[in-house]
Amino acid sequence: GRPLKGEITIAGAKNAALPILCAALLTAEPVTLRNLPDLQDVRTILKILAQMGLKVTFPNPDDRSVVVLDGSDIHTPEASYELVKTMRASILVLGPLLARFGRAKVSLPGGCAIGARPVDQHIKGLKAMGADIHISHGYIEASFGEQKKALQGAKILTDMITVTGTENLLMAAVLADGQTILENAAREPEVTDLAELLIKMGANISGLGTDRLVIQGVKSLHGAQHAIIADRIETGTFMCAAAIMGQTGADLMLKNARPDTMEMVIDKLKDAGLQIALGKDWIHVVMNQRPKAVSFKTSEYPAFPTDMQAQFMAMNAIAQGASRVTETIFENRFMHVQELNRLGAQIVIEGNTAMTEGVDELSGATVMATDLRASASLVIAGLAASGETLVDRIYHLDRGYDRMEKKLAAVGAQIARVK
Ligand code: EPU
C-alpha cells in the first residue's frame, strides 16, 4: 500500500544473456560482455561453461555486469544432469559445442512446472544438419562422425516457433558447411541480440528480426564485445507494479530500457490506464487511478509474451471490470492463479483461459511461488494487498530478477528479504 516513486535501472535480459554466454563456446578468442544481469540462471550457465573448461573472468570483481569468456581450452564438451536439471536453458550449449568440437553430451532436460517443454525440434534441426544424435542414459549424445569436418547447412522448418530452438540451431549453423535456412524462426528480440553478437564474431546471418534466418557458414569465429539487450520482461514487470499501485499512486522512471521491444505490453498497459512516456532507452510511467481490466492471449513475439501473463493477471485481479486471459504457449502456466485467489482474487480457469473478476481489494497472506514469473506476480500483488504478504520459495524469483526487492524498496515499497 505504499506509493512507488523514483528511478529503476533495468538489467540486461536473462533470455538474451543465456544463449549469448553459450555463444562464447564457438570461438577460441575472448568474448567480452557488458550489461550481464546478476541472476541465479546466469550463475548456473557460467558454472556449466566453466566445467567444460571455459575461462570466466570478471575484470572488476565488484561488478558482475562485465564478464570476459575465454573458450581457448574447452576440454569436456559435456553438461551434466546435476546442472541441467536446475535449468532447462542449459540445452543451449548443444548447438555451439557440436558445431565447434564435433561432439557434445548434454543431459536431456526433464519435466518443467509450466509445461512439458520437449526439445525435439532442437534435435530435429541438428539431425537435418547431419548430426548423429542418440539419447542414452538420459543424455543427448551428438556428433558429426569421423568423416565429416563440420555440420552441413540445411533448410530447417520447425514444427512450431521455438525461442531456444532457434537459438541453438542458429549457433550450430554459423560454423556449418554451406547455407542454412531457418524457417518459422522465433522473432524474439533476444534471438536478434544473439544474432548481432554472432555477426560481431564473424558470422554471416541475414533476416534478423524475421521468421526466416539465412546463415552462410564460416570456418571459424573470432572474439567480440557486446552489451546485452535490456530485459523487456523485467521492464514490463515494474510497469505492472506501477499499474497495480494505481489507487495509492506510482511514478516510476525506468532507465536502460528498450521500449521498442515491448510494443504490445505498452499498448495493453495504456489500455489499463497507465500513463506512459518513452524515449529510446527510457520509459516513464505514472498511475493515479484504479487499473482497468485488460484481456489478451499470449503468443510468440511480437504478440503478447507468455512471460508477462502472470504479472498482468495480478493487475487484473484488482482492476475495474472483468478480463479473459488465454495462455497459448505453455499448457500449465496458471499456477499463480490459486495463490492470487488466496490473496482474495476472483479468478476461474477454464481450459487455457483464466477469467478474472476484478475485486476492490486484495488482502495479504502467505503464498507460495511456483515458477519465475508466477513469483513476480505474487510480489506485485503483495505490494497492492492490504497488510502483509509473505512470498515463500523466492529462489524462483532470483533465477530471473536482478535484486528485485532492492529495486522496489528503493522506490518506496515496503519489502524485505527474510531468511
Ligand atoms: N516446444 C516443443 N519442442 C521443442 C521446443 C519447444 O514442443 O523442441 C514447445 C514448448 O513446449 C512450448 C513452445 O514450443 O510449448 C514454445 O517453447 P519455446 O521453445 O519457445 O520456449 P523456450 O525456448 O524453452 C523461452 C524462454 C522462456 C519463454 C519462452 C516463450 C529462454 C531461456 N526461455 O523458452 O522464458 O517463456 O521462450 O517465449 O529464452 C522465463 O523467462 O520465465 C521463461 C520461461
Side-chain angles (χ1 to χ4, degrees):
R2 302 286 168 105
L4 301 181
K5 188 169 173 47
E7 275 184 12
I8 294 180
T9 302
I10 301 301
K14 168 178 84 77
N15 290 346
L18 297 175
I20 281 176
L21 288 164
C22 296
L25 290 170
L26 287 163
T27 175
E29 294 182 16
V31 172
T32 303
L33 301 174
R34 283 175 287 121
N35 208 29
L36 183 72
D38 190 5
L39 310 170
Q40 195 50 48
D41 276 7
V42 164
R43 288 171 190 252
T44 303
I45 200 83
L46 286 175
K47 208 162 161 186
I48 292 177
L49 296 172
Q51 279 185 356
M52 293 173 188
L54 188 102
K55 219 181 313 143
V56 178
T57 316
F58 289 95
N60 175 357
D62 298 333
D63 177 8
R64 290 187 66 94
S65 72
V66 180
V67 70
V68 182
L69 306 160
D70 175 350
S72 59
D73 188 23
I74 306 289
H75 43 68
T76 319
E78 295 179 5
S80 70
Y81 177 65
E82 279 58 47
L83 289 170
V84 175
K85 74 175 181 199
T86 67
M87 189 182 70
R88 311 178 56 77
S90 316
I91 191 73
L92 285 165
V93 300
L94 183 61
L97 283 178
L98 183 60
R100 180 159 160 228
F101 302 103
R103 70 182 185 93
K105 185 173 169 189
V106 179
S107 169
L108 186 67
C112 175
I114 61 176
R117 304 182 78 183
V119 291
D120 55 302
Q121 300 301 308
H122 303 229
I123 292 172
K124 167 180 152 174
L126 293 173
K127 279 187 174 164
M129 282 191 241
D132 248 342
I133 301 191
H134 300 282
I135 295 175
S136 68
H137 305 295
Y139 278 81
I140 304 170
E141 296 195 44
S143 70
F144 50 68
E146 298 290 303
Q147 283 81 25
K148 288 186 233 146
K149 289 209 164 52
L151 289 170
Q152 306 299 308
K155 188 166 171 184
I156 300 168
L157 171 63
T158 46
D159 296 9
M160 78 289 294
I161 299 174
T162 154
V163 177
T164 49
T166 303
E167 293 163 345
N168 234 339
L169 299 176
L170 180 61
M171 288 191 278
V174 288
L175 288 182
D177 246 356
Q179 189 181 67
T180 299
I181 299 178
L182 298 180
E183 299 273 15
N184 210 18
R187 290 187 284 163
E188 267 65 5
E190 294 76 19
V191 177
T192 304
D193 202 36
L194 168 67
E196 282 174 358
L197 166 74
L198 293 170
I199 290 170
K200 288 179 190 166
M201 292 167 74
N204 186 339
I205 307 168
S206 59
L208 271 63
T210 74
D211 61 0
R212 187 171 192 269
L213 293 171
V214 180
I215 304 113
Q216 198 63 46
V218 294
K219 289 263 175 297
S220 67
L221 295 181
H222 51 74
Q225 300 204 4
H226 186 73
I228 292 165
I229 193 172
D231 197 316
R232 63 194 166 101
I233 307 300
E234 186 195 21
T235 311
T237 301
F238 288 124
M239 291 172 84
C240 281
I244 205 171
M245 295 313 294
Q247 279 159 313
T248 353
D251 181 338
L252 293 181
M253 178 60 145
L254 306 175
K255 292 182 2 187
N256 274 6
R258 277 288 298 270
D260 58 316
T261 62
M262 29 192 319
E263 218 171 302
M264 182 59 89
V265 164
I266 289 174
D267 278 0
K268 286 287 168 191
L269 285 170
K270 277 185 183 161
D271 292 348
L274 188 68
Q275 295 169 43
I276 305 178
L278 47 88
K280 192 165 173 287
D281 63 353
W282 56 267
I283 304 180
H284 181 202
V285 294
V286 175
M287 190 74 173
N288 44 30
Q289 56 172 315
R290 182 176 176 192
K292 294 192 224 25
V294 288
S295 296
F296 57 89
K297 198 190 236 186
T298 65
S299 193
E300 295 87 1
Y301 189 84
F304 193 96
T306 172
D307 292 345
M308 284 303 306
Q309 180 254 105
Q311 302 89 314
F312 266 70
M313 194 119 51
M315 178 189 77
N316 277 340
I318 59 155
Q320 201 180 335
S323 55
R324 282 173 71 89
V325 168
T326 304
E327 171 61 51
T328 74
I329 305 290
F330 293 113
E331 63 272 23
N332 192 28
R333 211 176 197 182
F334 278 149
M335 281 170 308
H336 42 284
V337 166
Q338 295 314 325
E339 301 300 300
L340 288 171
N341 283 349
R342 297 198 70 248
L343 297 174
Q346 281 186 20
I347 311 174
V348 233
I349 302 173
E350 232 174 64
N352 65 344
T353 297
M355 270 115 23
T356 305
E357 191 65 50
V359 295
D360 291 339
E361 195 184 62
L362 294 176
S363 68
T366 296
V367 285
M368 189 103 80
T370 47
D371 80 81
L372 171 55
R373 309 303 171 188
S375 326
S377 82
L378 297 174
V379 169
I380 293 175
L383 294 177
S386 65
E388 189 176 273
T389 297
L390 190 117
V391 183
D392 210 354
R393 300 199 179 162
I394 55 162
Y395 52 83
H396 290 291
L397 199 69
D398 293 327
R399 289 189 56 176
Y401 287 92
D402 187 339
R403 288 160 282 208
M404 187 191 211
E405 85 282 9
K406 290 211 170 72
K407 290 185 180 182
L408 284 172
V411 293
Q414 199 180 339
I415 178 169
R417 179 181 293 259
V418 285
K419 281 248 155 79

